[in-house]
Amino acid sequence: MKFDYDAQYFNPEHVLECGQVFRFNRYGAGYTVLSADKACYIHTDGNKTVVECADGDGDYFYDYFDLARDYSEIVKRAKAHNIPLLTRSAEIFKGLRLLNQNREEMLYSFIISQNNNIPRIKLIISRICGGLGEKREFMGREYYTFPTTEKLAAAGVEFFKAAGCGYRDAYLAETSARVLSEGLSHLYDLPAQELKKKLLTYKGVGAKVADCVALFGFGKRDSFPVDTWIEKIYREDFKGELCDRDKINEYFTRLFGEDSGYIQQYLFYGKRQNL
């Protein structure tokens, strides 16, 4: 099936290249995007961004790309802060949308992401999917689903080591075993700060990873992940003097409130694009 959306507020490159997702590849004039056990193809055609997916997956990807939300209002609120970097980024990258991603996939993916670069993260996840996921076909091309927690928990440390996970191998083995035992449903309705505290109890989850999982997996838009880029922004664009990342996180979440996650992505992506 196929549906489209105003490209001004749905730009595939802005959405996918801003660091919130890892299972995508350039293909033709657009991108193939994988989530959980599903696949879609997105590209821009004139003033519309087009999403193509299997029959029955339309609602999933409509929600995945957060298309029920009016981002024109979010952009207005971001620009109203009158912060130069934020104003420029929200205007130029107004096609950036926060994705509603699979919770378990986000937990494991961001454990892999720590102290890592995006090409290597994507390669490791691809190896894990190839080794434990199911082979599927979409638009004539093969892909592998993201493995179930059952498959991950049964894989063992050596599998993750062979996939190139490095020291994260034990984190993935232990966390997947815990998720298999407990599930994640007890975390779904927690407020952002309480969710973060719970996520920090999982092996391999630090503050930045917890905020990323909360923001991109659990839809907690009042989360604000802090990494080296955000520290740089804090010092250069906000003239901040705090050194503790937890305190920097508190500063930004107090400043931006319910829009924290959106604004974090505008700032992060804008700085990386040298605005």
Side-chain angles (χ1 to χ4, degrees):
M1 70 166 297
K2 184 185 296 189
F3 61 90
D4 59 45
Y5 194 87
D6 180 4
Q8 183 179 17
Y9 292 101
F10 183 18
N11 182 302
E13 182 177 354
H14 299 172
V15 171
L16 299 173
E17 302 282 3
C18 66
Q20 65 176 318
V21 62
F22 306 112
R23 293 180 66 215
F24 68 92
N25 290 290
R26 286 188 177 273
Y27 178 60
Y31 295 84
T32 299
V33 181
L34 306 176
S35 176
D37 60 348
K38 296 173 172 56
C40 74
Y41 175 63
I42 61 173
H43 63 99
T44 299
D45 183 5
N47 61 1
K48 298 290 185 182
T49 289
V50 180
V51 180
E52 299 181 48
C53 58
D55 290 343
D57 288 348
D59 288 347
Y60 180 90
F61 282 109
Y62 192 86
D63 177 69
Y64 178 84
F65 291 114
D66 206 30
L67 298 179
R69 200 181 308 271
D70 182 0
Y71 274 66
S72 68
E73 292 300 317
I74 296 168
V75 169
K76 284 180 189 174
R77 294 197 299 268
K79 291 162 70 173
H81 287 281
N82 293 316
I83 298 165
L85 173 62
L86 178 56
T87 298
R88 293 194 302 273
S89 187
E91 177 59 32
I92 293 170
F93 302 123
K94 64 177 60 149
L96 191 161
R97 308 183 73 86
L98 294 189
L99 301 173
N100 295 310
Q101 300 187 65
N102 179 273
R103 296 177 180 95
E104 291 184 11
E105 183 173 334
M106 285 299 92
L107 177 58
Y108 304 129
S109 295
F110 276 97
I111 287 174
I112 293 166
S113 78
Q114 59 184 301
N115 299 316
N116 220 338
N117 60 66
I118 288 177
R120 189 159 179 266
I121 297 164
K122 292 177 70 172
L123 178 61
I124 292 170
I125 293 173
S126 178
R127 288 172 178 162
I128 290 173
C129 292
L132 301 177
E134 296 180 8
K135 185 188 291 187
R136 301 274 178 89
E137 185 175 295
F138 176 69
M139 295 180 70
R141 303 179 77 210
E142 288 183 351
Y143 74 94
Y144 288 87
T145 63
F146 196 88
T148 62
T149 286
E150 288 81 1
K151 287 287 187 69
L152 290 166
V157 172
E158 290 304 317
F159 171 82
F160 297 117
K161 188 184 298 294
C165 297
Y167 67 87
R168 307 165 197 85
D169 54 7
Y171 299 164
L172 290 166
E174 185 169 325
T175 293
S176 60
R178 179 176 170 185
V179 175
L180 180 62
S181 172
E182 300 176 358
L184 292 179
S185 60
H186 61 290
L187 304 179
Y188 289 2
D189 297 324
L190 296 176
Q193 286 306 308
E194 186 63 27
L195 172 62
K196 182 177 180 178
K197 288 178 185 176
K198 296 290 188 183
L199 289 171
L200 286 170
T201 68
Y202 288 78
K203 192 75 171 178
V205 176
K208 184 247 182 176
V209 168
D211 279 321
C212 285
V213 174
L215 179 57
F216 305 129
F218 287 79
K220 304 303 180 184
R221 302 313 198 211
D222 49 346
S223 299
F224 197 104
V226 176
D227 67 352
T228 54
W229 281 95
I230 294 297
E231 284 189 291
K232 180 180 173 70
I233 290 164
Y234 172 71
R235 303 202 197 300
E236 294 181 358
D237 298 276
F238 292 80
K239 309 305 179 189
E241 297 181 354
L242 295 169
C243 296
D244 183 276
R245 285 191 177 184
D246 289 335
K247 294 189 182 301
I248 294 172
N249 168 272
E250 290 173 13
Y251 167 81
F252 280 123
T253 53
R254 281 199 307 269
L255 181 61
F256 298 123
E258 294 297 313
D259 285 335
S260 290
Y262 304 106
I263 288 173
Q264 192 269 0
Q265 284 290 276
Y266 292 139
L267 291 171
F268 176 82
Y269 194 50
K271 196 69 167 181
R272 292 194 65 176
Q273 298 299 312
N274 297 311
L275 289 189

